[in-house]
Amino acid sequence: MTEAEKVEAGTPQESDFELAQRAARGDAQAFERLYERHNRRVYSLCLRMTGNTSEAEDLMQEVFIQLFRKIGSFRGESAFTTWLHRLTVNQVLMHFRKRGVRLEQTTEDGETPVQIVKGTENPNAMPIVDRIALDKAIAQLPPGYRTVFVLHDIEGHEHEEIARMLGCSVGTSKSQLHKARMRLRELLRQQNPPKNRSRE
């Protein structure tokens, strides 16, 4: 039965795990299906972290090259999307390291009050217009701030995890996040200046 016939007959789609196993055995078609299924998600994470479309495109290609090399090591212990997400984040962080992007070290203990930009507590639930404004503002953040903000507020990683990924202290991660949120608030305010009251 061909793929098209399977779809017509209502046969459930192959899971990511099944496709990954086939790809690991050298099935190019299975790898292509994984690419089609996940390339948008990978690209949007790369774009959020780099704030640059051509870098994001290059990194997405890099991620899938890495995926092609490492797919045999996917054991299905976690969801494929989780595994691919980790691979993507690592690829972007490696890219930052090569470019010498450093998190600014901080002497504060980093225990700054949590101040979320109003309405950005859950970016995925925001109205599309606000999402576009937020994405535009995130792209303008310095790379160190942006990385921590995306990992923590958008991707949901804990500070301990981020500190491990970035090779910095938990305090630095917290401080960077605090500064990123303050900067975002400023950028969003510039994008949406308070409307003048209509003339009397």
Side-chain angles (χ1 to χ4, degrees):
M1 202 187 246
T2 67
E3 284 300 321
E5 285 168 338
K6 273 186 195 172
V7 171
E8 255 172 57
T11 316
Q13 272 195 324
E14 276 182 289
S15 70
D16 288 338
F17 181 58
E18 289 165 331
L19 287 171
Q21 286 188 311
R22 278 177 45 202
R25 290 195 296 269
D27 184 333
Q29 221 176 3
F31 188 80
E32 211 168 296
R33 293 270 303 287
L34 284 171
Y35 177 82
E36 283 162 13
R37 214 176 262 187
H38 299 288
N39 71 76
R40 274 191 212 87
R41 184 185 285 124
V42 168
Y43 173 74
S44 87
L45 176 55
C46 292
L47 183 59
R48 276 225 168 97
M49 289 183 76
T50 61
N52 177 309
T53 50
S54 64
E55 270 184 48
E57 277 162 23
D58 291 348
L59 279 163
M60 181 185 74
Q61 298 305 330
E62 285 294 317
V63 168
F64 280 98
I65 289 167
Q66 283 304 314
L67 178 64
F68 187 74
R69 289 185 186 140
K70 294 181 173 180
I71 198 143
S73 67
F74 176 62
R75 300 271 170 265
E77 283 136 17
S78 62
F80 180 78
T81 46
T82 307
W83 189 75
L84 181 57
H85 178 278
R86 204 171 303 130
L87 193 73
T88 306
V89 168
N90 287 341
Q91 200 61 37
V92 176
L93 294 179
M94 246 165 54
H95 166 74
F96 282 159
R97 271 183 220 119
K98 279 183 202 151
R99 270 186 31 208
V101 170
R102 282 274 162 268
L103 291 184
E104 61 175 62
Q105 294 304 315
T106 176
T107 51
E108 309 158 37
D109 61 1
E111 293 300 331
T112 42
V114 173
Q115 290 179 305
I116 293 190
V117 181
K118 189 163 172 39
T120 63
E121 299 87 345
N122 180 2
N124 299 325
M126 290 170 73
I128 190 73
V129 178
D130 295 345
R131 280 287 297 278
I132 292 166
L134 179 62
D135 282 347
K136 219 166 102 182
I138 291 170
Q140 293 173 53
L141 289 173
Y145 291 7
R146 186 171 55 235
T147 304
V148 175
F149 180 81
V150 169
L151 290 173
H152 188 279
D153 280 12
I154 294 176
E155 299 299 322
H157 293 284
E158 295 300 323
H159 283 294
E160 289 68 19
E161 233 179 319
I162 295 169
R164 269 202 309 279
M165 285 179 186
L166 300 179
C168 67
S169 72
V170 170
T172 296
S173 174
K174 286 179 177 176
S175 168
Q176 295 271 318
L177 179 64
H178 173 64
K179 289 172 183 169
R181 286 171 175 167
M182 300 299 276
R183 184 87 187 94
L184 266 183
R185 184 176 293 161
E186 236 171 84
L187 290 164
L188 287 168
R189 207 175 283 138
Q190 286 164 18
Q191 281 184 35
N192 300 309
K195 295 188 175 57
N196 294 331
R197 276 188 294 184
S198 53
R199 293 194 188 97
E200 304 301 302

